[in-house]
Amino acid sequence: MDPATLIARCRHEAGLSQRRLARLAGTSPAAISFYESGRRIPRVDTLTRIVAATGATLELSTTSRPPDIDLAEN
């Protein structure tokens, strides 16, 4: 799930306005709006803080790379 969808979903499930979430997360309502619209992508620590402000927990996991990706070409 992308950060924009995650933030919006967590906020809606918590019953918070963008303004209230911003206050709880220590950021501005404009930043929350930018994150939810995808116009700005939050750093992982910022995303963690915003999600925590909704009462949820962010869990990250990794999966193995597909063997056909050549990272040297990127």
Side-chain angles (χ1 to χ4, degrees), residues 2 6 11 22 27 30 33-34 37-38 40 52-53 57 59 68 70 72:
D2 65 282
L6 178 64
R11 181 175 67 79
T27 192
S33 176
F34 286 146
S37 69
R40 193 183 300 169
T57 302
E59 295 181 13
D68 61 337
D70 184 359

Side-chain angles (χ1 to χ4, degrees), residues 12 16 18 22-23 26 31 37 41 48-49 52-54 57 61 64 67 69:
H12 286 287
L16 299 171
Q18 287 184 343
R23 201 171 307 129
S37 69
I41 299 172
T48 301
R49 188 178 74 246
T54 70
T57 302
S61 64
S64 298
I69 294 178

